[in-house]
C-alpha cells in the first residue's frame, strides 16, 4: 500500500512538471516565429540586400520597365564600383504632396508647391550603369562615348540602340564620384541632363545582381 501511494505521488509530481499545451502555447510559438522573421527581414533589407523597382524604360533592354531587382548592399562596402556595374543609388527626393522630384538633398520647402517637407520627403532611388569613374574625362561626340582622350569609343554591348541625339558633351568626374547613364540612351534622363551630373560614392546603395520580377535573370 505504501508503495502504491509513493507511485501515485510520483505520477502527480511528473504531471505538475510537464509543460502545459494548448492554444496559448501555440500562439506564443507563432508570435516568436513571426518576430524572428521580421527581425531577419529587417536586418537583410537594411544591411545586406536592396530591393528596387525600375519604373521606366531607361535601362531597357537590360532591365525592362516596371521590373524589380535585387542588389547587394555589402558589395560597395568592400569594393569600389567598377565601370559597367548596374547600381542602385540615391538620386534625390520626392514631395509627398505634389509628387515633384528633385535631385540632391531634400530642401526644407518643396519649390514646386511650397509644402514644408521637414523629414517627410520620400527618398528617390535610381538604377543606372556606372560609365565614369573618379578622375575620368568623358566626351560624347557624334553619339559615342569617349574616355580619357581615347580615339576609340567605349564598347557598350548592353545598349538598347545607338544614341541618336546628336549631342556633344564634356564631363570631368571629380574624385570619389561616378558618372551614371541608362542603357536606353535615347530615353534616359541620366547624368547628361542633371544639374549635378556626378554621384558621390556615399550615395551608391547597392550593386544590382539580378532581376526577380517579372523575368528572373542575372544582371550584367
Amino acid at each position: 500500500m505504501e508503495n502504491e501511494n509513493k507511485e501515485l505521488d510520483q505520477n502527480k509530481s511528473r504531471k505538475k512538471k510537464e509543460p502545459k499545451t494548448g492554444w496559448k502555447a501555440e500562439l506564443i510559438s507563432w508570435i516568436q516565429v513571426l518576430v524572428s522573421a521580421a527581425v531577419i527581414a529587417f536586418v537583410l533589407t537594411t544591411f545586406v540586400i536592396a530591393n528596387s523597382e525600375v519604373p521606366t524604360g531607361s535601362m531597357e533592354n537590360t532591365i525592362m520597365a516596371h521590373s524589380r531587382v535585387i542588389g547587394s548592399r555589402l558589395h560597395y562596402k568592400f569594393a569600389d564600383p567598377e565601370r559597367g556595374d548596374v547600381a542602385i543609388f540615391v538620386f534625390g527626393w520626392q514631395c509627398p504632396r505634389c509628387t515633384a522630384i528633385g535631385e540632391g538633398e531634400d530642401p526644407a520647402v518643396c519649390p514646386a508647391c511650397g509644402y514644408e517637407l521637414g523629414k517627410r520627403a520620400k527618398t528617390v532611388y535610381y538604377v543606372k550603369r556606372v560609365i565614369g569613374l573618379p578622375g575620368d574625362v568623358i566626351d560624347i561626340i557624334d553619339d559615342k562615348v569617349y574616355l580619357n582622350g581615347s580615339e576609340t569609343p567605349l564598347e557598350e554591348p548592353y545598349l538598347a540602340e545607338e544614341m541618336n541625339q546628336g549631342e556633344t558633351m564634356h564631363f570631368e568626374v571629380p574624385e570619389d564620384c561616378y558618372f551614371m547613364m541608362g542603357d536606353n540612351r535615347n530615353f534616359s534622363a541620366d547624368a547628361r541632363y542633371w544639374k549635378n551630373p556626378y554621384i558621390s560614392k556615399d550615395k551608391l546603395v547597392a550593386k544590382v545582381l539580378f532581376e526577380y520580377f517579372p523575368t528572373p535573370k542575372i544582371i550584367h
Side-chain angles (χ1 to χ4, degrees):
M1 186 69 177
E2 184 177 349
N3 290 336
E4 291 180 0
N5 289 335
K6 286 183 178 180
E7 188 175 347
L8 288 172
D9 291 339
Q10 289 175 352
N11 289 337
K12 289 179 180 179
S13 178
R14 281 197 295 269
K15 288 180 179 178
K16 289 180 180 179
K17 293 179 181 179
E18 289 176 357
K20 294 182 179 181
T21 59
W23 69 270
K24 289 184 178 180
E26 186 172 352
L27 178 60
I28 291 172
S29 176
W30 275 107
I31 290 174
Q32 291 173 335
V33 170
L34 292 174
V35 170
S36 298
V39 170
I40 292 171
F42 173 79
V43 171
L44 286 175
T45 56
T46 303
F47 302 106
V48 181
I49 63 173
N51 178 4
S52 185
E53 180 185 5
V54 180
T56 70
S58 66
M59 283 298 294
E60 294 180 357
N61 293 321
T62 304
I63 305 172
M64 305 304 288
H66 308 297
S67 296
R68 298 201 68 91
V69 296
I70 290 289
S72 169
R73 292 181 183 273
L74 296 177
H75 190 87
Y76 294 139
K77 300 294 184 183
F78 302 102
D80 290 330
E82 296 181 355
R83 197 184 328 279
D85 284 0
V86 177
I88 301 169
F89 58 94
V90 176
F91 171 75
W93 54 272
Q94 183 175 38
C95 175
R97 172 181 285 180
C98 70
T99 69
I101 292 177
E103 61 181 270
E105 301 297 327
D106 50 293
V109 177
C110 174
C113 69
Y115 181 65
E116 293 187 5
L117 293 171
K119 295 183 179 180
R120 293 182 287 272
K122 179 182 177 182
T123 302
V124 175
Y125 298 92
Y126 275 6
V127 176
K128 305 288 184 188
R129 192 178 294 274
V130 178
I131 300 299
L133 303 178
D136 276 348
V137 175
I138 300 172
D139 288 290
I140 300 175
I141 303 171
D142 295 330
D143 294 321
K144 301 288 185 182
V145 176
Y146 295 85
L147 295 175
N148 304 317
S150 172
E151 295 181 358
T152 304
L154 180 66
E155 292 187 11
E156 299 188 275
Y158 40 75
L159 292 183
E161 59 184 7
E162 292 187 3
M163 285 191 286
N164 59 11
Q165 306 298 297
E167 297 167 320
T168 298
M169 297 180 169
H170 178 82
F171 302 94
E172 298 181 12
V173 186
E175 290 301 317
D176 206 36
C177 290
Y178 297 85
F179 187 84
M180 319 292 290
M181 297 177 74
D183 288 357
N184 193 5
R185 296 284 162 79
N186 298 317
F187 301 93
S188 177
D190 52 37
R192 293 169 292 169
Y193 309 111
W194 302 338
K195 292 179 182 178
N196 176 13
Y198 312 111
I199 298 296
S200 59
K201 186 178 179 181
D202 63 335
K203 298 297 184 183
L204 291 170
V205 175
K207 177 182 177 179
V208 175
L209 300 178
F210 60 89
E211 175 186 320
Y212 69 91
F213 176 85
T215 306
K217 63 179 180 181
I218 296 174
I219 300 298
H220 299 289

